[in-house]
Amino acid sequence: MTLTSPNPGASPHRDLAAPRPRGGVVQSVNDSLVIAKRNLIRMSRIPEMIIFGVIQPVMFVVLFSYVFGGSISVGGSTSPAAYREFLMAGIFAQTVTFATAGAGAGIADDMHKGLIDRFRSLPMARGAVLTGRTLADLVQTTFTLVILAIVALLVGWRTHTSLGEVLAGFGLLLLLGYAFSWIGALIGLSVRTPEAATSGGLIWLFPLTFISNAFVPAENMPPFLRTIAEWNPFSATVQAARELFGNLPEGYPVPDAWPMQHPITASILWSVLIVVVFRTLSVRKYRSATA
């Protein structure tokens, strides 16, 4: 018995072996998840990356809580407990944004080792390499944030709102961290070594986090710096988290700037804008760098 193809001009083997075509969005999502899994497996095999990523924010919690607590006035009160609750949203936000350096260093390392060139030889979506990396960093940041929240509870931090509002606060923090990871991706694609990516990912974060309302009330700053702090996207997320956690001290004056009056909306808008702008720039840089 002989088998005939329904299409006499086509090869039966080719018809059987050809994969079904996938849409662009489906392929991009699947490829991104594969890259994210690859990066998570890699992170799990280098536990010191996770350990050191947790130690630094824990040190900030302990040092700021016990060294500065009681010496900084918040809403007219110098109570260590009041400052501790005021502080924690800033520490959380600093932790998620400092993950930017790790994202940039990881991408720069992949570029340096030629791994990106190997990805280029595969039939995969171009943006999947960067999206997968940022998703893996988001998972690591979530783990770090959970550990940090436990430490904060141990030193006396408390929330005073519903569970849904608390989770929404952490969601805004993670959204900010994800947005900033795209800035790290662009830095990682723009430098030649992982060391340069680490330095480039941190040098601009210090003024961004300290010229904000994270550690001291913006009202204590000179007028010029106060204006910068009030319109800082970092400050908007910190203010939103404090509001959702119920950590705004009684009598704490809310600045007249629009982001401080509507911190939740401002935080979402800032984060989405950063993702859109820096993802576009990162994918464009990735294509030109690997062309």
Side-chain angles (χ1 to χ4, degrees):
M1 179 182 294
T2 59
L3 297 176
T4 59
S5 171
N7 183 359
S11 169
H13 299 289
R14 183 176 181 181
D15 290 341
L16 293 174
R20 296 181 64 183
R22 296 181 295 175
V25 175
V26 174
Q27 180 178 3
S28 179
V29 170
N30 289 339
D31 293 344
S32 298
L33 292 177
V34 170
I35 297 298
K37 181 180 179 180
R38 172 256 174 192
N39 283 288
L40 289 173
I41 293 174
R42 179 190 179 192
M43 291 174 184
S44 67
R45 293 175 179 173
I46 312 176
E48 54 267 28
M49 290 177 58
I50 300 176
I51 294 173
F52 291 145
V54 171
I55 289 177
Q56 180 179 337
V58 168
M59 289 176 59
F60 273 110
V61 170
V62 175
L63 289 174
F64 274 85
S65 296
Y66 293 104
V67 174
F68 295 103
S71 61
I72 297 179
S73 174
V74 179
S77 172
T78 56
S79 167
Y83 179 68
R84 194 174 295 121
E85 291 191 355
F86 175 85
L87 168 72
M88 285 315 306
I91 296 291
F92 291 150
Q94 184 190 54
T95 300
V96 299
T97 54
F98 270 38
T100 301
I107 292 175
D109 186 50
D110 288 343
M111 293 282 292
H112 184 68
K113 292 179 178 178
L115 184 63
I116 299 299
D117 292 332
R118 279 178 273 175
F119 283 141
R120 286 184 61 212
S121 66
L122 301 175
M124 61 187 301
R126 285 293 180 93
V129 175
L130 303 179
T131 302
R133 175 74 208 196
T134 55
L135 288 176
D137 290 330
L138 179 62
V139 173
Q140 182 180 359
T141 301
T142 303
F143 173 77
T144 303
L145 201 57
V146 170
I147 299 298
L148 191 58
I150 294 173
V151 174
L153 290 171
L154 292 177
V155 301
W157 172 66
R158 296 293 183 269
T159 59
H160 307 283
T161 52
S162 66
L163 177 61
E165 289 173 304
V166 172
L167 293 177
F170 282 114
L172 289 180
L173 290 165
L174 290 173
L175 179 60
L176 180 72
Y178 181 71
F180 273 54
S181 68
W182 281 104
I183 301 178
L186 182 61
I187 294 173
L189 292 168
S190 303
V191 299
R192 297 182 179 180
T193 64
E195 293 78 12
T198 301
S199 300
L202 288 175
I203 193 170
W204 60 275
L205 278 173
F206 281 102
L208 183 78
T209 55
F210 281 94
I211 305 178
S212 71
N213 61 357
F215 307 113
V216 296
E219 62 180 1
N220 297 339
M221 298 180 182
F224 174 70
L225 291 181
R226 183 169 64 245
T227 301
I228 295 177
E230 291 171 351
W231 286 88
N232 186 341
F234 186 85
S235 295
T237 300
V238 171
Q239 188 78 356
R242 286 187 182 129
E243 186 174 296
L244 290 168
F245 294 156
N247 288 158
L248 284 174
E250 186 176 351
Y252 179 76
V254 178
D256 294 332
W258 186 87
M260 298 296 98
Q261 292 288 331
H262 308 86
I264 297 175
T265 303
S267 175
I268 296 173
L269 291 176
W270 272 120
S271 295
V272 171
L273 178 63
I274 292 171
V275 170
V276 171
V277 171
F278 283 92
R279 188 185 189 281
T280 302
L281 294 175
S282 296
V283 173
R284 184 177 301 173
K285 183 69 176 179
Y286 170 80
R287 289 174 176 171
S288 63
T290 59

